[in-house]
Amino acid sequence: MLVIGNGRLVTRDPEQPFFENGAVAMDGTTIKKVGTLEEIKKEFHDAEYVDAKGGVIMPAFINTHEHIYSAMARGLSIKGYDPKGFLDILDGMWWTIDRHLTGEQTRQSARATYLDSIKNGVTTVFDHHASFGEIKDSLFAIEDAAKEMSVRTCLCYEISDRDGMDKARAAVMENASWIKHALADDTDMIAGMMGMHAQFTISDETMELAAANKPAEVGYHIHVAEGIEDLHDCLKKYGKRIVDRLMDCNILGEKTLLAHCIYVNPHEMQLIKDTDTMVVHNPESNMGNACGCPPTMEIVHRGILTGLGTDGYTHDMTESFKVANVLHKHHLCDANAAWGEVPQMLFEGNAKIANRYFKKQLGVLKEGAAADVIVTDYIPLTPMDASNINGHILFGMTGRSVVTTVCNGKVLMKNRELVGLDEEKILYEVREEAKKLAHSING
């Protein structure tokens, strides 16, 4: 038994959303009970106890769109890289990196990403991977890191024709092998999807191959209308908009996750809604790549299940929360925009998306839910209650406010120190592979 208490407890359970001085009791991988510190300590007096020291106790974060393969891009300068648009950014930076990644560099990238995730209170990660330098077993290399770090993860490989049909087929087979492995696993800690880059790099032949190798239990994870070039390509080649093509290829559905959706129109939104397809918004990446601002507020208002991701830009979900909040206010010239929609995406949408792949309820502290809990050192200087929790998180916290992270009942970080992991050794090994990658790219 593990009890975390002596803090303001944010449960995300509408039945009892907030305790001024609360505690959560965990039995193995499951939450046993939440309540006041007094009643929880009285009932579970023999449990291991973690003192929140007056901070905020709340459910761990979920990231519904990550790119582990980008971990070694920090500070990397690529010779001749001078992008004039989004396609130049893709080919000159990201595709150049993934074409050089070895299996070991993929594993080390995953270790770095999951380590940072833990530090930022993220315990469930939906990753969208590419390593065309070494495709086979790349998702299994990521799994090695996920197991070492004890985090929950849903993986897929980015299918694309951009490096030829042989590699496209290898990407499909990597997804198929991983999905089969994940479906047979009973830990509820790994899951798989059929990953796709974007429709503009995927032929009908490859679409059909992916469909033929995808079990009915899973959906697709694909970038949609991230750049205007994607839309123009689809209109020119197929005489239809992107979501229409995906509909015709039977890509849409309740297990499918569409990343970005910047250049989608109301007709496409209706198709997404009618098929119960999921969408994930990645504000910082969209702004950083100058791709544009998606109609996310309208997507949410239409009742489409929408989550919040980072696209590898950061591993801090509070950072994405802050940026999404101001992005849509600025874009719509409406100071009232995004107050409700963005926290809905982060705290409700991400949990619902994750629970289409993981069995135990995530994103909430209540009896029977997954024992994924974080503690922050944030002590409010203004009144805090159930009605203003999101404002306190938005303006008072960052990811590094997290001091303790628990995933699946296991303490991964306590008082900002990783538990059972040699951080110094891990980062040394990551740096060594990062040097090799940089050398292989620039010679």
Side-chain angles (χ1 to χ4, degrees), residues 351-373:
K352 289 176 181 176
I353 288 169
N355 275 125
R356 292 192 178 183
Y357 279 89
F358 296 101
K359 299 179 183 70
K360 195 165 288 184
Q361 191 173 5
L362 300 173
V364 64
L365 304 184
K366 61 187 270 189
E367 185 178 349
D372 289 15
V373 186

Side-chain angles (χ1 to χ4, degrees), residues 235-284:
L235 290 170
K236 183 177 179 180
K237 287 182 183 174
Y238 304 100
K240 63 185 74 171
R241 295 183 69 91
I242 295 169
V243 178
D244 287 304
R245 184 181 179 216
L246 299 183
M247 181 75 172
D248 292 343
C249 292
N250 201 30
I251 299 291
L252 305 181
E254 66 176 9
K255 288 295 190 80
T256 287
L257 186 56
L258 311 181
H260 305 297
C261 292
I262 298 176
Y263 297 97
V264 295
N265 67 11
H267 158 74
E268 291 175 288
M269 292 182 210
Q270 193 60 48
L271 279 178
I272 295 169
K273 168 66 174 173
D274 290 345
T275 54
D276 196 17
T277 304
M278 305 175 287
V279 170
V280 56
H281 176 38
N282 305 274
E284 292 159 297

Side-chain angles (χ1 to χ4, degrees), residues 188 212 215 253 297 301 319 321 332 382 401 422:
D188 201 34
M297 298 302 97
H301 294 161
E319 190 178 301
F321 180 7
L332 297 170
T382 56
S401 298
D422 187 339

Side-chain angles (χ1 to χ4, degrees), residues 201-212:
T201 67
I202 305 173
S203 63
D204 284 344
E205 178 186 352
T206 302
M207 289 275 194
E208 291 167 4
L209 182 65

Side-chain angles (χ1 to χ4, degrees), residues 89-397:
I89 293 171
L90 287 179
D91 192 45
M93 173 63 76
W94 304 117
W95 296 353
T96 296
I97 289 172
D98 83 56
R99 284 172 180 138
H100 287 82
L101 277 175
T102 65
E104 179 59 17
Q105 286 160 3
T106 289
R107 187 176 77 89
Q108 295 295 348
S109 295
R111 296 175 92 200
T113 300
Y114 290 136
L115 189 151
D116 258 3
S117 296
I118 292 167
K119 287 185 171 184
N120 285 284
V122 178
T123 59
T124 299
V125 176
F126 279 63
D127 190 66
H128 194 277
H129 179 63
S131 57
F132 281 87
E134 192 169 334
I135 299 170
K136 191 175 187 311
D137 293 333
S138 57
L139 298 183
F140 295 87
I142 295 174
E143 182 195 21
D144 285 345
K147 283 185 174 180
E148 178 188 9
M149 301 288 173
S150 300
V151 296
R152 184 180 289 98
T153 200
C154 180
L155 305 177
C156 69
Y157 190 94
E158 179 179 294
I159 297 166
S160 174
D161 294 349
R162 64 181 180 256
D163 284 348
M165 290 306 297
D166 286 346
K167 290 197 173 183
R169 282 189 285 270
V172 171
M173 293 305 114
E174 179 64 13
N175 276 312
S177 296
W178 170 256
I179 292 167
K180 181 179 179 181
H181 170 70
L183 288 174
D185 184 88
D186 61 0
T187 63
D188 201 34
M189 290 293 286
I190 59 170
M193 303 176 79
M194 183 62 71
M196 290 183 161
H197 170 242
Q199 74 78 34
F200 76 92
T201 67
I202 305 173
S203 63
D204 284 344
E205 178 186 352
T206 302
M207 289 275 194
E208 291 167 4
L209 182 65
N213 286 277
K214 182 191 74 66
E217 297 96 322
V218 307
Y220 298 86
H221 191 165
I222 180 172
H223 300 114
V224 172
E226 183 177 4
I228 191 68
E229 300 88 347
D230 192 8
L231 174 58
H232 290 167
D233 174 271
C234 200
L235 290 170
K236 183 177 179 180
K237 287 182 183 174
Y238 304 100
K240 63 185 74 171
R241 295 183 69 91
I242 295 169
V243 178
D244 287 304
R245 184 181 179 216
L246 299 183
M247 181 75 172
D248 292 343
C249 292
N250 201 30
I251 299 291
L252 305 181
E254 66 176 9
K255 288 295 190 80
T256 287
L257 186 56
L258 311 181
H260 305 297
C261 292
I262 298 176
Y263 297 97
V264 295
N265 67 11
H267 158 74
E268 291 175 288
M269 292 182 210
Q270 193 60 48
L271 279 178
I272 295 169
K273 168 66 174 173
D274 290 345
T275 54
D276 196 17
T277 304
M278 305 175 287
V279 170
V280 56
H281 176 38
N282 305 274
E284 292 159 297
S285 170
N286 296 162
M287 295 172 75
N289 290 326
C291 286
C293 177
T296 310
M297 298 302 97
E298 183 178 353
I299 289 171
V300 172
H301 294 161
R302 284 175 175 265
I304 294 166
L305 177 53
T306 309
L308 192 65
T310 65
D311 205 33
Y313 194 97
T314 180
H315 312 302
D316 178 354
M317 296 308 301
T318 65
E319 190 178 301
S320 291
F321 180 7
K322 295 172 195 290
V323 173
N325 177 65
V326 294
L327 167 61
H328 295 287
K329 285 176 168 57
H330 176 76
H331 177 69
L332 297 170
C333 296
D334 180 3
N336 291 317
W339 286 121
E341 296 90 344
V342 175
Q344 177 184 326
M345 291 153 53
L346 176 57
F347 300 116
E348 298 175 34
N350 278 5
K352 289 176 181 176
I353 288 169
N355 275 125
R356 292 192 178 183
Y357 279 89
F358 296 101
K359 299 179 183 70
K360 195 165 288 184
Q361 191 173 5
L362 300 173
V364 64
L365 304 184
K366 61 187 270 189
E367 185 178 349
D372 289 15
V373 186
I374 60 174
V375 179
T376 76
D377 63 4
Y378 176 72
I379 299 175
L381 56 87
T382 56
M384 181 178 184
D385 56 36
S387 69
N388 64 9
I389 290 164
N390 295 335
H392 280 278
I393 296 171
L394 180 65
F395 295 110
M397 297 185 196

